[in-house]
Amino acid sequence: MSVGPAWEVREDEGAASWFTVRLAFADGARIDVLAVVCEACVFFEDVRARPALSPDDLTVLADWIEEPLLAACGLGADSRVGDGISAGARRARPAWPRGTEGCRRAACVYRTAQEEGRDPVLAVMSATGYGRRQSLVLIGQAREAGLLTPRHARR
């Protein structure tokens, strides 16, 4: 993880500091964050991630970068991330099984979302942490395996 100052704004007796944060993972995933540190609190201004992050991943992201940001400002005593595991050792997306098991789980998520009236593709994207294209590939594989009905039923 790299943390670098972007700019600082002073007003009266307080200051707000903006920082750029980059997390790069071994699997090629990358997260870029523009964060503001003000009164020992961390706020995200902008988050860009490849592949896209699920809402759960955004929550974990805050835990990953809060201590290093506060340490960069001189406000934190420990620059380790959370439980002592470095951010680079973690994955940017949840682990998702490959092969038949992954197709079965994707089909289950897809059908559940359909039954609940939600967008099934978005449900698979959220569950897997994959982007739209990769999620559609996974859904297509589940259809080919006979786990989902054909996309267009012919009459």
Side-chain angles (χ1 to χ4, degrees), residues 28-52:
R30 188 177 86 201
I31 304 170
D32 293 309
V33 179
L34 179 61
V36 180
V37 178
C38 181
E39 298 177 10
C41 294
V42 176
F43 303 96
F44 292 165
E45 287 286 320
D46 186 36
V47 177
R48 295 177 189 222
R50 285 214 170 106

Side-chain angles (χ1 to χ4, degrees), residues 56-76:
D56 292 336
D57 291 334
L58 283 172
T59 303
V60 174
L61 177 64
D63 295 337
W64 288 349
I65 70 171
E66 183 175 31
E67 286 185 44
L69 271 175
L70 293 175
C73 295
L75 299 172

Side-chain angles (χ1 to χ4, degrees), residues 82-135:
D83 56 8
I85 298 173
S86 70
R90 298 186 187 195
R91 293 181 53 89
R93 60 182 156 214
W96 190 260
R98 296 186 184 270
T100 306
E101 179 60 26
C103 287
R104 283 190 185 131
R105 285 180 57 188
C108 181
V109 168
Y110 187 95
R111 283 192 306 270
T112 302
Q114 270 186 326
E115 291 167 3
E116 294 174 354
R118 296 183 296 126
D119 184 335
V121 176
L122 288 178
V124 172
M125 289 171 60
S126 178
T128 62
Y130 295 148
R132 185 170 188 81
R133 183 175 293 169
Q134 185 61 36
S135 294

